[in-house]
Amino acid sequence: MKILVPVKRVIDYNVKPRVKADGSGVDLANVKMSMNPFDEIAVEEAIRLKEAGKAEEIVAISVGPAKAQETLRTALAMGADRAILVETDDEVEPLAVAKILKAIAEEEQPGLVMLGKQAIDDDSNQTGQMLAALMQRPQGTFANTVEIDGDSVIVKREIDGGLETVKLTMPAIVTTDLRLNEPRYASLPNIMKAKKKSLDVKTPADYGVDTAKRLTTTNVAEPPVRQAGEKVEDVDALVMKMKALGIA
């Protein structure tokens, strides 16, 4: 079985984003970028399935600028076998990404497409679901556990009330949640080996996909500064303060 793992280049989760002075977007100049954490979990899970003998090949895919090659090299160093970069400097929306992934999946014929449930930059949480709809394939979102059972994949997914178990006939789409696994660190030897692994560069036009934006950002602003809390001496003082604020 072949597994496709889309990964996205985003601002590192340890970095506090800065809004541009004109409010047109987030300032990416001289900012550390890394792989989207949810996608990193997807890469790790694909590698574990391969190590368990459930998969033969892992193909990492990214849609973004030339620098996204660094993100793909990280996936290759973790254990992916080869990579495809669909290079574009445009800000690509989830629907366009899903269309590109659909075209690649039709070429590669994977048993699973496994990707993070959302990206931490736009938090859209749409690409996996859109891809499943476009391909008319079963989907298991917010995966907490993934198990291969013959020609099916069993996914325990996180829902508001706890966990829900679904059994999907492959080929299928799975989106990963935080508690699925703990991604490994790429070792130095594997980082060196990743430089020799295949990385193909394509464009959206190669797949016949129009990446023109359908949404317009009118303004981007930082959230208001949270007011500092106030300490009280005892429970009685707390109750009085709550009454004064009308919440008790």
Side-chain angles (χ1 to χ4, degrees), residues 22-224:
D22 60 1
S24 61
V26 176
D27 187 2
L28 301 180
N30 301 316
V31 174
K32 181 182 178 183
M33 308 292 283
S34 62
M35 187 188 301
N36 177 47
F38 290 100
D39 296 337
E40 195 172 10
I41 291 168
V43 174
E44 173 66 25
E45 192 64 21
I47 295 168
R48 293 188 184 190
L49 289 174
K50 183 180 177 183
E51 290 173 343
K54 304 294 185 181
E56 288 77 41
E57 185 180 29
I58 301 169
V59 184
I61 304 166
S62 190
V63 181
K67 289 184 178 180
Q69 289 192 32
E70 300 169 7
T71 306
L72 288 171
R73 292 294 179 193
T74 299
L76 292 171
M78 289 176 67
D81 298 292
R82 57 188 176 90
I84 300 171
L85 172 62
V86 182
E87 186 175 334
T88 175
D89 291 325
D90 296 334
E91 184 180 342
V92 186
E93 294 173 354
L95 180 58
V97 174
K99 289 179 178 179
I100 292 170
L101 294 179
K102 175 179 180 289
I104 295 174
E106 288 173 346
E107 287 185 356
E108 298 286 343
Q109 293 296 309
L112 273 181
V113 180
M114 190 176 296
L115 63 162
K117 70 170 186 176
Q118 65 195 77
I120 62 172
D121 53 359
D122 57 19
D123 274 335
S124 292
N125 184 16
Q126 295 175 343
T127 304
Q129 293 89 326
M130 288 178 169
L131 177 61
L134 290 172
M135 296 187 67
Q136 297 183 340
R137 299 299 186 190
Q139 60 179 306
T141 56
F142 319 136
N144 177 283
T145 305
V146 177
E147 297 177 5
I148 303 298
D149 181 18
D151 294 332
S152 302
V153 55
I154 299 172
V155 178
K156 288 185 180 178
R157 54 188 304 270
E158 299 192 7
I159 59 174
D160 291 341
L163 294 175
E164 177 185 57
T165 302
V166 295
K167 187 173 184 179
L168 314 172
T169 301
M170 295 191 290
I173 316 298
V174 174
T175 71
T176 57
D177 215 327
L178 282 176
R179 281 156 290 278
L180 178 58
N181 61 50
E182 184 70 30
R184 69 192 66 190
Y185 288 101
S187 65
L188 182 57
N190 286 340
I191 292 173
M192 300 304 294
K193 291 177 184 177
K195 295 179 180 180
K196 298 180 180 180
K197 291 185 178 180
S198 172
L199 195 161
D200 295 330
V201 179
K202 304 285 188 178
T203 66
D206 292 333
Y207 298 105
V209 177
D210 178 14
T211 58
K213 295 184 67 175
R214 291 167 172 78
L215 300 175
T216 302
T217 301
T218 58
N219 185 55
V220 178
E222 293 190 15

